């Protein structure tokens, strides 16, 4: 197994787990126009964990990569939402929030290598 694939898997399993460990922070940054934000948060966390583990198996890897790309595109809404106010930024400096947007596209590219 390639080392970067293992790193990617760890990143998504960890990130997904954080949705369950710190749910209030995640719910707070989900745009208010979306319904059932708590449920969406838990669903997103579960999908991230599942996709992270699915990356480890050649049979499920392409599906996991597509799922991750889809998730990263959807999460752009949250990243732009966090730029709307200091309260939504959760104390993260604005420059980091802005830098996160091109980073999201880098993560999309990385996942696309495994389709």
């Amino acid at each position: 197994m390639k080392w970067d694939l293992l790193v990617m898997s760890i990143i998504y399993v960890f990130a997904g787990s954080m949705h369950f460990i710190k749910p209030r922070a995640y719910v707070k940054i989900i745009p208010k126009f979306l319904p059932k934000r708590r449920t969406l948060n838990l669903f997103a966390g579960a999908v991230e964990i599942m996709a992270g583990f699915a990356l480890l198996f050649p049979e499920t890897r392409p599906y996991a990569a597509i799922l991750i790309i889809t998730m990263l595109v959807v999460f752009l809404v949250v990243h732009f939402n966090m730029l709307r106010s200091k309260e939504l930024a959760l104390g993260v400096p604005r420059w980091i929030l802005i830098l996160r947007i091109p980073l999201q596209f880098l993560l999309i590219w990385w996942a696309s290598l495994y389709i």
Side-chain angles (χ1 to χ4, degrees):
M1 176 178 302
K2 296 171 92 176
W3 69 269
D4 70 312
L5 192 55
L6 184 58
V7 169
M8 189 187 319
S9 174
I10 291 168
I11 287 170
Y12 288 106
V13 170
F14 173 77
S17 299
M18 292 306 293
H19 285 258
F20 295 92
I21 295 168
K22 298 274 188 186
R24 278 191 276 173
Y26 285 88
V27 170
K28 189 174 184 179
I29 62 174
I30 296 173
K32 293 196 186 305
F33 67 82
L34 292 171
K36 302 187 184 229
R37 294 178 6 221
R38 288 186 180 143
T39 303
L40 284 174
N41 170 61
L42 297 176
F43 178 74
V47 169
E48 274 187 281
I49 293 167
M50 182 177 60
F53 281 121
L55 284 171
L56 299 174
F57 304 97
E59 302 82 13
T60 56
R61 189 172 297 140
Y63 303 107
I66 291 167
L67 187 57
I68 287 168
I69 291 167
T70 303
M71 187 176 55
L72 290 169
V73 169
V74 170
F75 287 176
L76 280 169
V77 173
V78 172
H79 296 310
F80 282 110
N81 190 51
M82 289 180 75
L83 285 166
R84 291 182 44 231
S85 73
K86 284 190 175 201
E87 179 187 349
L88 291 172
L90 301 178
V92 177
R94 188 166 181 78
W95 69 271
I96 291 177
L97 295 175
I98 291 168
L99 187 63
R100 226 168 48 159
I101 293 168
L103 174 62
Q104 198 81 348
F105 289 101
L106 180 64
L107 293 172
I108 290 167
W109 169 80
W110 187 15
S112 75
L113 297 176
Y114 293 100
I115 294 176

